[in-house]
Amino acid sequence: MPAGYVALSTEPSDDNAPTRLSADAQITPRGQGVYHTPHGGTFIYHGDGHAYTYKYGPGGLAGLFHNYYALACALFASIGGLLFGYDQGVIANVLVMKDFTERWPIGAWEKGLMTAMLELGCLLGTVVTGTFADHFTRRQAIISASIVFTIGSTLQFAAQTFPQIVVGRAIGGLGVGALSMLSPLYMAEISPPEVRGSLMALEQFSIVLGAVLGFWTGFFTREVQGSASWRIPLAIQIAPAILLAVGSLFLPPSPRLLVAHGRNAEALRSLAKLRRRNHDEVDGDPLLQIELLEMRTEVSLVEKTTGSSVKDVGLGAELKAWAMLFSKKYINRTLIGVLMMFFQQWSGINALLYYGPTLMKELGLQGDTVTLMVSGGIGIVQFLSVFPVILYIDRLGRKPLLRYGSVVMCIAHLLIALLVWQYATDWVSHRTAAWMAVACTYIFTAAYGMSYGPIGWILPSEVFPISMRSRGVSLSTASNWFNNFLIGLLTPVLMGFSASATFMVFSSACFAGYIWSTYVVPETGNVSLEEMDEVFGSSAAAEDQNLKHQIESDLGLHVLIGGLTARR
């Protein structure tokens, strides 16, 4: 082994024992406090023994190709987002298909109930799944959720009565809600820090791709005779659900969850596979050692300061774990996750996806083909706008995108509200105004696709410590689905009352989102999941800082970093 740094033993041992370290290292200096490590990594040391960052390779597009195995795993896991988006996209067409409306003539309330039942099921699915994912594995949870979604989808496309399709959507919601929480959670836990934002933006990419596929599938089957016009697009979503269930058997386990269960040797093997290191290279990569020690430090710190662990079982332990999310130490993180999802939904994006054709008619467009095509364009714009985020979010950061996106969305909604208020009674004579309103919906959609859309899934999966991450993400995603439920239920009612007022509500929410993202949200980009304490100041208290320092020392992290920086 090269000399100059320390390495973890890869031999089977007591996973709870302190790591055996041996000091012999060699690094290649690249500048003041910047060191080149084997296999293309970079370690940046800031001089106080605690402040440092590291990268396994480049960021952006090059980083995605460099981490092609983690990219492939994240892409596959994001099929859960594809199922979520597909259902959103397809329902907009199903609700206006001739056979569907003639078979079940429903009013605004029934339409809202049918649309919202999926979200209600999702709300329950996200809450239940957090505990399941901790006590078992992320892969087992994903497989179970895929099976539940398949059952719900089967009930929907085979429904013979309206109540049957509503029940099918509720059951399908349990599955897709669980997947909407599990996919970004798993993606966050397998991603290297330099491309974590890009990999997690794939969740939004898949959601939007699913929405586009769902919408246009329904668009092209709407003229099919009989119930096949709506049964076909509802049945198609079963195929990717089965693919996800079967393929998840081959996904690598989350190294962070393995550490939380005390299975450190398995965690090292999984981490090495995700970072494309073979058995012989594990001992030769200090970044691999640092990342694993950070995981162990975080787990030990949380267990010592809160008494909470993912290994705890029983009702009392479960209630204690959920209560910790609202403790003084973690309430800021909880509010970040919950409010991020609140603003994501009340920005108005899903109102456009669910009721796009209805909204287009309110903006003066005539003819089913025109309104469907224009509302379908909303999904295409959102799909295209995600690509720059995938490439540049880790360079630009989360906070600036949230702020500027809020401003653009607020102005776009405000202009639509004013145009509707002024010209809604006579769109025929004001075609320019109508198309200006349509343009504003596209501008809003592009801004959403580069801000609230992807970051809404990234932030909640980043901010929580491992012992509370699954429950924290569950609660955040539950906020998404609860507000999604309200949007689906209330949008047709609000539109019936006043289309202009509806857009003003969305504009006001975007303005509030700007204030929140400017003064409350911290920047989490390019920070390892184990260093989020520093971002939130959770370890600022002297006793916590001293305890963390002691744990790092006991596990050998200080010796490891000392060996790295011993030679310049």
Side-chain angles (χ1 to χ4, degrees):
M1 185 178 72
Y5 64 85
V6 294
L8 298 173
S9 170
T10 58
E11 297 301 320
S13 63
D14 179 2
D15 280 343
N16 294 315
T19 304
R20 297 194 301 272
L21 300 168
S22 60
D24 47 282
Q26 179 171 359
I27 53 173
T28 304
R30 296 183 62 187
Q32 187 68 28
V34 180
Y35 302 91
H36 179 61
T37 64
H39 315 297
T42 303
F43 180 86
I44 304 172
Y45 176 68
H46 300 293
D48 61 359
H50 300 285
Y52 63 86
T53 56
Y54 58 88
K55 299 179 180 180
Y56 285 93
L61 184 61
L64 292 175
F65 285 113
H66 180 79
N67 293 280
Y68 63 82
Y69 183 69
L71 171 63
C73 293
L75 271 173
F76 189 83
S78 71
I79 292 177
L82 181 81
L83 297 174
F84 167 25
Y86 184 91
D87 188 273
Q88 284 185 316
V90 78
I91 199 64
N93 277 290
V94 168
L95 289 174
V96 297
M97 286 183 180
K98 181 179 180 181
D99 182 84
F100 188 89
T101 56
E102 291 179 352
R103 184 181 298 260
W104 297 307
I106 55 178
W109 177 258
E110 290 82 7
K111 184 183 293 186
L113 178 64
M114 179 186 166
T115 305
M117 280 308 295
L118 180 88
E119 282 70 49
L120 196 59
C122 289
L123 176 62
L124 180 60
T126 57
V127 174
V128 173
T129 304
T131 301
F132 185 87
D134 270 354
H135 293 319
F136 296 93
T137 68
R138 309 302 193 218
R139 293 182 298 179
Q140 290 171 334
I142 291 174
I143 293 169
S144 300
S146 300
I147 293 173
V148 172
F149 178 80
T150 300
I151 295 172
S153 298
T154 302
L155 287 174
Q156 288 182 66
F157 93 84
Q160 298 300 314
T161 65
F162 183 71
Q164 287 176 355
I165 200 169
V166 171
V167 171
R169 287 184 64 74
I171 295 175
L174 291 172
V176 79
L179 290 171
S180 70
M181 167 262 175
L182 290 166
S183 293
L185 174 67
Y186 177 76
M187 292 158 72
E189 292 183 345
I190 67 171
S191 301
E194 68 270 14
V195 291
R196 189 177 64 242
S198 295
L199 289 179
M200 294 189 65
L202 294 174
E203 173 73 3
Q204 178 66 11
F205 169 81
S206 291
I207 291 173
V208 178
L209 176 61
V212 171
L213 292 176
F215 184 92
W216 290 104
T217 299
F219 180 83
F220 288 116
T221 64
R222 75 191 193 284
E223 300 298 337
V224 175
Q225 295 300 312
S227 63
S229 61
W230 56 269
R231 294 189 192 277
I232 290 174
L234 288 178
I236 286 175
Q237 60 192 341
I238 295 176
I242 294 175
L243 175 64
L244 180 60
V246 175
S248 293
L249 294 170
F250 304 97
L251 289 175
S254 164
R256 287 171 168 84
L257 185 63
L258 290 172
V259 168
H261 282 282
R263 297 157 61 182
N264 297 326
E266 294 177 61
L268 180 59
R269 289 194 293 270
S270 179
L271 186 64
K273 186 175 183 180
L274 286 163
R275 303 297 179 258
R276 298 173 46 235
R277 304 291 187 263
N278 60 40
H279 179 77
D280 295 332
E281 294 173 338
V282 170
D283 288 341
D285 191 343
L287 300 188
L288 210 62
Q289 324 293 339
I290 289 173
E291 188 170 9
L292 184 67
L293 285 177
E294 286 181 340
M295 297 177 197
R296 295 182 62 185
T297 298
E298 182 195 29
V299 169
S300 181
L301 178 64
V302 172
E303 289 181 353
K304 290 178 183 293
T305 57
T306 69
S308 175
S309 169
V310 298
K311 295 177 285 187
D312 296 338
V313 295
L315 180 60
E318 192 64 26
L319 293 176
K320 180 181 178 181
W322 282 99
M324 282 301 301
L325 292 172
F326 300 95
S327 66
K328 181 179 179 181
K329 190 169 186 177
Y330 296 108
I331 185 63
N332 288 343
R333 306 188 196 210
T334 301
L335 289 177
I336 289 292
V338 170
L339 289 176
M340 182 68 257
M341 292 303 195
F342 171 86
F343 287 119
Q344 186 193 64
Q345 291 306 308
W346 283 96
S347 67
I349 185 63
N350 282 332
L352 294 179
L353 293 176
Y354 289 145
Y355 303 107
T358 303
L359 293 175
M360 291 303 112
K361 289 179 181 178
E362 289 291 340
L363 296 179
L365 299 182
Q366 302 299 319
D368 289 341
T369 300
V370 173
T371 56
L372 285 173
M373 290 190 68
V374 173
S375 58
I378 292 173
I380 294 176
V381 170
Q382 190 181 358
F383 174 74
L384 295 175
S385 65
V386 176
F387 284 98
V389 179
I390 294 175
L391 297 178
Y392 298 112
I393 187 170
D394 287 303
R395 181 183 303 175
L396 299 175
R398 285 66 160 148
K399 191 179 179 79
L401 292 176
L402 284 177
R403 293 181 62 204
Y404 295 124
S406 298
V407 172
V408 175
M409 291 188 293
C410 175
I411 294 174
H413 276 315
L414 179 61
L415 290 176
I416 294 173
L418 293 174
L419 289 167
V420 171
W421 176 70
Q422 184 69 28
Y423 301 111
T425 58
D426 189 17
W427 285 117
V428 176
S429 301
H430 301 90
R431 304 303 297 169
T432 301
W435 283 106
M436 285 179 60
V438 172
C440 286
T441 64
Y442 284 173
I443 293 172
F444 157 80
T445 303
Y448 173 89
M450 291 186 281
S451 57
Y452 284 28
I455 299 175
W457 300 104
I458 294 172
L459 271 182
S461 298
E462 290 182 321
V463 298
F464 295 101
I466 182 63
S467 64
M468 284 174 275
R469 187 170 296 136
S470 64
R471 292 178 182 85
V473 176
S474 287
L475 186 63
S476 302
T477 311
S479 171
N480 176 289
W481 289 113
F482 176 73
N483 287 285
N484 207 333
F485 171 79
L486 291 180
I487 289 291
L489 195 63
L490 296 178
T491 296
V493 178
L494 288 172
M495 291 297 296
F497 172 74
S498 172
S500 178
T502 303
F503 285 105
M504 279 300 299
V505 169
F506 297 147
S507 180
S508 299
C510 292
F511 177 76
Y514 170 79
I515 300 299
W516 173 74
S517 59
T518 300
Y519 298 105
V520 178
V521 177
E523 179 55 65
T524 60
N526 292 302
V527 179
S528 72
L529 296 181
E530 288 67 41
E531 291 299 311
M532 286 296 167
D533 274 353
E534 305 296 333
V535 174
F536 284 89
S538 295
S539 296
E543 59 272 20
D544 281 1
Q545 187 63 51
N546 291 336
L547 178 58
K548 182 179 181 182
H549 187 276
Q550 184 61 49
I551 293 171
E552 291 173 340
S553 179
D554 291 343
L555 292 176
L557 183 59
H558 295 168
V559 176
L560 176 58
I561 294 175
L564 267 174
T565 57
R567 299 189 181 190
R568 301 295 297 257

